[in-house]
Amino acid sequence: ATMFQGPLGSQIALTWRDQDTGNVQRATLTRVIDFSAILSAFAGSVFADGVVTGRMLDSGIGYIRVSSFAMEVSDADRLFEQALQDLIDAQAGGIILDLRGNSGGLLGLAMAMAGRFFPDYQRLLDLYYADGTGDFAYRGFVEILAGEPYYDGPVAVLVDAMTGSAGDIFAYAMRQNDNAIIVGHTPS
């Protein structure tokens, strides 16, 4: 996220290569205040119980809603762990993870939640940033650490145009090793 910081109203040009087709794609973003992310971050710390909710649907499929990754990590992770464990104990026939409207937040929290669907450690991606000279410099990497409870049944991740940042990377992580299908329309 720090790579996108700058003065309000200024623009940043993005260039990337589509992993599947190899096509180069470009986009220009204008820096604005994202009030929804600010409100999500604030609400997450005040209304912690609403950030992660889960229940068993009448169909026998488990449903977990994650409205934000922007709150105190241990609280959100504990809520997610409990919701997932409850659905495992109830023998859910599958899990729906609803990230619609989740504008992101803490990447570490997103990866901790994703880790509950991976049996082992997995290095997900490497991060690079534009160094101002037209080159890219290595910034670090994103990893998934396996966590408990572990769930290896069918998973669907719901996304929409408001799913962003850590939510996008969560969806990308869940696509690895065919862990989940992604349902919805978004740049994810």
PDB file of all heavy atoms in Angstrom, residues 12 22 38 44 48 56 58 64-65 79 88 91 104 111-113 121 123 126-127 134 137 140 143 146 176 182-183:
ATOM      1  N   ILE A  12      -0.849   7.801 -10.507  1.00  0.00           N
ATOM      2  CA  ILE A  12       0.177   6.760 -10.554  1.00  0.00           C
ATOM      3  C   ILE A  12      -0.162   5.855 -11.730  1.00  0.00           C
ATOM      4  O   ILE A  12      -1.322   5.497 -11.930  1.00  0.00           O
ATOM      5  CB  ILE A  12       0.247   5.969  -9.226  1.00  0.00           C
ATOM      6  CG1 ILE A  12       1.363   4.941  -9.276  1.00  0.00           C
ATOM      7  CG2 ILE A  12      -1.065   5.325  -8.897  1.00  0.00           C
ATOM      8  CD1 ILE A  12       1.675   4.309  -7.939  1.00  0.00           C
ATOM      9  N   GLY A  22      -0.131 -13.385 -20.730  1.00  0.00           N
ATOM     10  CA  GLY A  22       1.142 -12.745 -21.043  1.00  0.00           C
ATOM     11  C   GLY A  22       0.990 -11.326 -21.586  1.00  0.00           C
ATOM     12  O   GLY A  22       1.980 -10.665 -21.875  1.00  0.00           O
ATOM     13  N   ILE A  38     -11.515   4.128   5.333  1.00  0.00           N
ATOM     14  CA  ILE A  38     -11.337   4.780   6.632  1.00  0.00           C
ATOM     15  C   ILE A  38     -12.445   4.355   7.588  1.00  0.00           C
ATOM     16  O   ILE A  38     -12.191   3.988   8.733  1.00  0.00           O
ATOM     17  CB  ILE A  38     -11.305   6.324   6.475  1.00  0.00           C
ATOM     18  CG1 ILE A  38     -10.047   6.739   5.705  1.00  0.00           C
ATOM     19  CG2 ILE A  38     -11.369   7.012   7.831  1.00  0.00           C
ATOM     20  CD1 ILE A  38     -10.053   8.184   5.269  1.00  0.00           C
ATOM     21  N   GLY A  44     -14.041  -1.341  12.307  1.00  0.00           N
ATOM     22  CA  GLY A  44     -13.473  -2.636  12.682  1.00  0.00           C
ATOM     23  C   GLY A  44     -12.947  -2.631  14.090  1.00  0.00           C
ATOM     24  O   GLY A  44     -13.064  -3.621  14.802  1.00  0.00           O
ATOM     25  N   ALA A  48     -15.963  -4.841  16.663  1.00  0.00           N
ATOM     26  CA  ALA A  48     -15.189  -6.020  16.272  1.00  0.00           C
ATOM     27  C   ALA A  48     -16.070  -7.225  15.949  1.00  0.00           C
ATOM     28  O   ALA A  48     -15.748  -8.004  15.077  1.00  0.00           O
ATOM     29  CB  ALA A  48     -14.194  -6.381  17.369  1.00  0.00           C
ATOM     30  N   MET A  56     -24.365 -21.409   9.499  1.00  0.00           N
ATOM     31  CA  MET A  56     -24.672 -22.523   8.613  1.00  0.00           C
ATOM     32  C   MET A  56     -25.927 -22.157   7.826  1.00  0.00           C
ATOM     33  O   MET A  56     -26.941 -21.767   8.421  1.00  0.00           O
ATOM     34  CB  MET A  56     -24.909 -23.809   9.406  1.00  0.00           C
ATOM     35  CG  MET A  56     -25.165 -25.022   8.550  1.00  0.00           C
ATOM     36  SD  MET A  56     -23.736 -25.585   7.623  1.00  0.00           S
ATOM     37  CE  MET A  56     -22.864 -26.453   8.914  1.00  0.00           C
ATOM     38  N   ASP A  58     -29.213 -23.041   5.365  1.00  0.00           N
ATOM     39  CA  ASP A  58     -30.169 -24.147   5.351  1.00  0.00           C
ATOM     40  C   ASP A  58     -29.709 -25.287   4.445  1.00  0.00           C
ATOM     41  O   ASP A  58     -30.060 -26.437   4.665  1.00  0.00           O
ATOM     42  CB  ASP A  58     -31.552 -23.661   4.903  1.00  0.00           C
ATOM     43  CG  ASP A  58     -32.205 -22.747   5.930  1.00  0.00           C
ATOM     44  OD1 ASP A  58     -31.789 -22.782   7.115  1.00  0.00           O
ATOM     45  OD2 ASP A  58     -33.118 -21.987   5.551  1.00  0.00           O
ATOM     46  N   ILE A  64     -19.191 -17.574   5.817  1.00  0.00           N
ATOM     47  CA  ILE A  64     -18.428 -16.653   6.664  1.00  0.00           C
ATOM     48  C   ILE A  64     -18.291 -15.337   5.922  1.00  0.00           C
ATOM     49  O   ILE A  64     -17.803 -15.289   4.791  1.00  0.00           O
ATOM     50  CB  ILE A  64     -17.027 -17.200   7.010  1.00  0.00           C
ATOM     51  CG1 ILE A  64     -17.126 -18.517   7.776  1.00  0.00           C
ATOM     52  CG2 ILE A  64     -16.237 -16.159   7.821  1.00  0.00           C
ATOM     53  CD1 ILE A  64     -15.791 -19.187   8.055  1.00  0.00           C
ATOM     54  N   ARG A  65     -18.724 -14.267   6.556  1.00  0.00           N
ATOM     55  CA  ARG A  65     -18.608 -12.913   6.001  1.00  0.00           C
ATOM     56  C   ARG A  65     -17.417 -12.235   6.661  1.00  0.00           C
ATOM     57  O   ARG A  65     -17.321 -12.199   7.893  1.00  0.00           O
ATOM     58  CB  ARG A  65     -19.881 -12.133   6.288  1.00  0.00           C
ATOM     59  CG  ARG A  65     -19.782 -10.661   6.012  1.00  0.00           C
ATOM     60  CD  ARG A  65     -20.276 -10.351   4.617  1.00  0.00           C
ATOM     61  NE  ARG A  65     -20.277  -8.910   4.417  1.00  0.00           N
ATOM     62  CZ  ARG A  65     -19.408  -8.286   3.625  1.00  0.00           C
ATOM     63  NH1 ARG A  65     -18.515  -8.969   2.950  1.00  0.00           N
ATOM     64  NH2 ARG A  65     -19.452  -6.985   3.492  1.00  0.00           N
ATOM     65  N   LEU A  79     -12.003 -14.391  15.726  1.00  0.00           N
ATOM     66  CA  LEU A  79     -13.388 -14.501  15.262  1.00  0.00           C
ATOM     67  C   LEU A  79     -13.485 -15.424  14.043  1.00  0.00           C
ATOM     68  O   LEU A  79     -14.405 -16.240  13.936  1.00  0.00           O
ATOM     69  CB  LEU A  79     -13.945 -13.118  14.920  1.00  0.00           C
ATOM     70  CG  LEU A  79     -14.151 -12.171  16.109  1.00  0.00           C
ATOM     71  CD1 LEU A  79     -14.446 -10.767  15.622  1.00  0.00           C
ATOM     72  CD2 LEU A  79     -15.269 -12.688  17.014  1.00  0.00           C
ATOM     73  N   ILE A  88     -16.873 -26.361  10.763  1.00  0.00           N
ATOM     74  CA  ILE A  88     -16.243 -27.682  10.656  1.00  0.00           C
ATOM     75  C   ILE A  88     -16.934 -28.656  11.603  1.00  0.00           C
ATOM     76  O   ILE A  88     -17.275 -29.782  11.227  1.00  0.00           O
ATOM     77  CB  ILE A  88     -14.724 -27.598  10.939  1.00  0.00           C
ATOM     78  CG1 ILE A  88     -14.017 -26.848   9.810  1.00  0.00           C
ATOM     79  CG2 ILE A  88     -14.129 -28.986  11.133  1.00  0.00           C
ATOM     80  CD1 ILE A  88     -12.567 -26.502  10.105  1.00  0.00           C
ATOM     81  N   GLN A  91     -20.076 -29.968  10.434  1.00  0.00           N
ATOM     82  CA  GLN A  91     -19.886 -30.759   9.221  1.00  0.00           C
ATOM     83  C   GLN A  91     -20.447 -30.069   7.979  1.00  0.00           C
ATOM     84  O   GLN A  91     -21.192 -30.665   7.189  1.00  0.00           O
ATOM     85  CB  GLN A  91     -20.476 -32.155   9.392  1.00  0.00           C
ATOM     86  CG  GLN A  91     -19.806 -32.913  10.515  1.00  0.00           C
ATOM     87  CD  GLN A  91     -20.361 -34.305  10.707  1.00  0.00           C
ATOM     88  OE1 GLN A  91     -21.508 -34.590  10.388  1.00  0.00           O
ATOM     89  NE2 GLN A  91     -19.527 -35.182  11.242  1.00  0.00           N
ATOM     90  N   GLY A 104     -10.237  -4.108   1.984  1.00  0.00           N
ATOM     91  CA  GLY A 104      -8.860  -4.489   2.311  1.00  0.00           C
ATOM     92  C   GLY A 104      -8.519  -4.250   3.755  1.00  0.00           C
ATOM     93  O   GLY A 104      -9.361  -4.334   4.643  1.00  0.00           O
ATOM     94  N   MET A 111      -3.708 -13.064   5.174  1.00  0.00           N
ATOM     95  CA  MET A 111      -2.931 -14.284   4.941  1.00  0.00           C
ATOM     96  C   MET A 111      -3.083 -15.268   6.102  1.00  0.00           C
ATOM     97  O   MET A 111      -3.060 -16.479   5.902  1.00  0.00           O
ATOM     98  CB  MET A 111      -1.471 -13.966   4.692  1.00  0.00           C
ATOM     99  CG  MET A 111      -1.212 -13.200   3.391  1.00  0.00           C
ATOM    100  SD  MET A 111      -1.820 -14.032   1.895  1.00  0.00           S
ATOM    101  CE  MET A 111      -3.462 -13.344   1.693  1.00  0.00           C
ATOM    102  N   ALA A 112      -3.262 -14.760   7.329  1.00  0.00           N
ATOM    103  CA  ALA A 112      -3.513 -15.651   8.473  1.00  0.00           C
ATOM    104  C   ALA A 112      -4.840 -16.379   8.270  1.00  0.00           C
ATOM    105  O   ALA A 112      -4.940 -17.583   8.538  1.00  0.00           O
ATOM    106  CB  ALA A 112      -3.527 -14.858   9.778  1.00  0.00           C
ATOM    107  N   MET A 113      -5.856 -15.666   7.790  1.00  0.00           N
ATOM    108  CA  MET A 113      -7.149 -16.311   7.538  1.00  0.00           C
ATOM    109  C   MET A 113      -7.034 -17.307   6.389  1.00  0.00           C
ATOM    110  O   MET A 113      -7.555 -18.424   6.475  1.00  0.00           O
ATOM    111  CB  MET A 113      -8.209 -15.254   7.246  1.00  0.00           C
ATOM    112  CG  MET A 113      -8.591 -14.438   8.454  1.00  0.00           C
ATOM    113  SD  MET A 113      -9.855 -13.220   8.008  1.00  0.00           S
ATOM    114  CE  MET A 113     -10.038 -12.351   9.563  1.00  0.00           C
ATOM    115  N   TYR A 121       3.052 -24.272   4.612  1.00  0.00           N
ATOM    116  CA  TYR A 121       3.541 -22.944   4.226  1.00  0.00           C
ATOM    117  C   TYR A 121       3.560 -22.822   2.705  1.00  0.00           C
ATOM    118  O   TYR A 121       3.873 -23.769   1.996  1.00  0.00           O
ATOM    119  CB  TYR A 121       4.965 -22.762   4.773  1.00  0.00           C
ATOM    120  CG  TYR A 121       5.721 -21.609   4.157  1.00  0.00           C
ATOM    121  CD1 TYR A 121       5.637 -20.343   4.700  1.00  0.00           C
ATOM    122  CD2 TYR A 121       6.520 -21.799   3.040  1.00  0.00           C
ATOM    123  CE1 TYR A 121       6.330 -19.281   4.152  1.00  0.00           C
ATOM    124  CE2 TYR A 121       7.220 -20.743   2.479  1.00  0.00           C
ATOM    125  CZ  TYR A 121       7.124 -19.491   3.038  1.00  0.00           C
ATOM    126  OH  TYR A 121       7.806 -18.450   2.474  1.00  0.00           O
ATOM    127  N   ARG A 123       4.795 -19.746  -0.222  1.00  0.00           N
ATOM    128  CA  ARG A 123       5.205 -18.398  -0.637  1.00  0.00           C
ATOM    129  C   ARG A 123       4.296 -18.011  -1.783  1.00  0.00           C
ATOM    130  O   ARG A 123       4.230 -18.702  -2.798  1.00  0.00           O
ATOM    131  CB  ARG A 123       6.663 -18.408  -1.060  1.00  0.00           C
ATOM    132  CG  ARG A 123       7.188 -17.023  -1.342  1.00  0.00           C
ATOM    133  CD  ARG A 123       8.683 -17.066  -1.473  1.00  0.00           C
ATOM    134  NE  ARG A 123       9.198 -15.789  -1.899  1.00  0.00           N
ATOM    135  CZ  ARG A 123      10.425 -15.397  -1.663  1.00  0.00           C
ATOM    136  NH1 ARG A 123      11.251 -16.184  -0.994  1.00  0.00           N
ATOM    137  NH2 ARG A 123      10.843 -14.226  -2.072  1.00  0.00           N
ATOM    138  N   ASP A 126       6.067 -12.269  -4.853  1.00  0.00           N
ATOM    139  CA  ASP A 126       7.137 -11.330  -4.540  1.00  0.00           C
ATOM    140  C   ASP A 126       6.655  -9.921  -4.843  1.00  0.00           C
ATOM    141  O   ASP A 126       5.903  -9.706  -5.795  1.00  0.00           O
ATOM    142  CB  ASP A 126       8.387 -11.630  -5.383  1.00  0.00           C
ATOM    143  CG  ASP A 126       9.034 -12.940  -4.990  1.00  0.00           C
ATOM    144  OD1 ASP A 126       9.190 -13.186  -3.787  1.00  0.00           O
ATOM    145  OD2 ASP A 126       9.369 -13.727  -5.895  1.00  0.00           O
ATOM    146  N   LEU A 127       7.067  -8.966  -4.026  1.00  0.00           N
ATOM    147  CA  LEU A 127       6.678  -7.571  -4.199  1.00  0.00           C
ATOM    148  C   LEU A 127       7.851  -6.756  -4.727  1.00  0.00           C
ATOM    149  O   LEU A 127       8.960  -6.867  -4.229  1.00  0.00           O
ATOM    150  CB  LEU A 127       6.220  -6.976  -2.865  1.00  0.00           C
ATOM    151  CG  LEU A 127       5.017  -7.647  -2.201  1.00  0.00           C
ATOM    152  CD1 LEU A 127       4.794  -7.051  -0.826  1.00  0.00           C
ATOM    153  CD2 LEU A 127       3.789  -7.473  -3.065  1.00  0.00           C
ATOM    154  N   GLY A 134      12.613   4.063 -13.505  1.00  0.00           N
ATOM    155  CA  GLY A 134      12.040   3.189 -14.521  1.00  0.00           C
ATOM    156  C   GLY A 134      12.307   1.723 -14.266  1.00  0.00           C
ATOM    157  O   GLY A 134      11.843   0.862 -14.997  1.00  0.00           O
ATOM    158  N   ALA A 137      12.551  -2.428  -7.906  1.00  0.00           N
ATOM    159  CA  ALA A 137      13.411  -2.942  -6.843  1.00  0.00           C
ATOM    160  C   ALA A 137      12.608  -3.920  -5.990  1.00  0.00           C
ATOM    161  O   ALA A 137      11.414  -3.720  -5.749  1.00  0.00           O
ATOM    162  CB  ALA A 137      13.936  -1.802  -5.984  1.00  0.00           C
ATOM    163  N   GLY A 140      10.009  -7.397  -1.028  1.00  0.00           N
ATOM    164  CA  GLY A 140       9.755  -8.461  -0.070  1.00  0.00           C
ATOM    165  C   GLY A 140       8.814  -9.480  -0.671  1.00  0.00           C
ATOM    166  O   GLY A 140       8.608  -9.506  -1.885  1.00  0.00           O
ATOM    167  N   GLU A 143       3.585 -14.389   2.207  1.00  0.00           N
ATOM    168  CA  GLU A 143       3.549 -15.816   2.476  1.00  0.00           C
ATOM    169  C   GLU A 143       2.261 -16.196   3.188  1.00  0.00           C
ATOM    170  O   GLU A 143       1.622 -15.369   3.828  1.00  0.00           O
ATOM    171  CB  GLU A 143       4.742 -16.231   3.320  1.00  0.00           C
ATOM    172  CG  GLU A 143       4.764 -15.570   4.692  1.00  0.00           C
ATOM    173  CD  GLU A 143       6.033 -15.857   5.472  1.00  0.00           C
ATOM    174  OE1 GLU A 143       6.836 -16.696   5.053  1.00  0.00           O
ATOM    175  OE2 GLU A 143       6.205 -15.230   6.522  1.00  0.00           O
ATOM    176  N   ALA A 146       0.337 -21.930   7.289  1.00  0.00           N
ATOM    177  CA  ALA A 146      -0.767 -22.833   7.607  1.00  0.00           C
ATOM    178  C   ALA A 146      -1.238 -22.589   9.032  1.00  0.00           C
ATOM    179  O   ALA A 146      -0.443 -22.323   9.925  1.00  0.00           O
ATOM    180  CB  ALA A 146      -0.317 -24.284   7.436  1.00  0.00           C
ATOM    181  N   GLN A 176      -4.907 -20.509  -5.393  1.00  0.00           N
ATOM    182  CA  GLN A 176      -3.727 -21.364  -5.503  1.00  0.00           C
ATOM    183  C   GLN A 176      -4.099 -22.807  -5.199  1.00  0.00           C
ATOM    184  O   GLN A 176      -4.906 -23.079  -4.315  1.00  0.00           O
ATOM    185  CB  GLN A 176      -2.622 -20.886  -4.553  1.00  0.00           C
ATOM    186  CG  GLN A 176      -2.232 -19.434  -4.758  1.00  0.00           C
ATOM    187  CD  GLN A 176      -1.924 -19.101  -6.206  1.00  0.00           C
ATOM    188  OE1 GLN A 176      -1.029 -19.679  -6.805  1.00  0.00           O
ATOM    189  NE2 GLN A 176      -2.671 -18.168  -6.769  1.00  0.00           N
ATOM    190  N   ILE A 182     -13.482 -18.498  -7.324  1.00  0.00           N
ATOM    191  CA  ILE A 182     -13.787 -17.098  -7.067  1.00  0.00           C
ATOM    192  C   ILE A 182     -15.057 -16.770  -7.837  1.00  0.00           C
ATOM    193  O   ILE A 182     -15.141 -17.040  -9.031  1.00  0.00           O
ATOM    194  CB  ILE A 182     -12.629 -16.177  -7.526  1.00  0.00           C
ATOM    195  CG1 ILE A 182     -11.282 -16.658  -6.969  1.00  0.00           C
ATOM    196  CG2 ILE A 182     -12.914 -14.731  -7.135  1.00  0.00           C
ATOM    197  CD1 ILE A 182     -11.195 -16.766  -5.477  1.00  0.00           C
ATOM    198  N   VAL A 183     -16.039 -16.199  -7.140  1.00  0.00           N
ATOM    199  CA  VAL A 183     -17.334 -15.890  -7.744  1.00  0.00           C
ATOM    200  C   VAL A 183     -17.570 -14.392  -7.621  1.00  0.00           C
ATOM    201  O   VAL A 183     -17.511 -13.836  -6.531  1.00  0.00           O
ATOM    202  CB  VAL A 183     -18.478 -16.659  -7.037  1.00  0.00           C
ATOM    203  CG1 VAL A 183     -19.804 -16.334  -7.678  1.00  0.00           C
ATOM    204  CG2 VAL A 183     -18.207 -18.156  -7.045  1.00  0.00           C
TER     205      VAL A 183
END
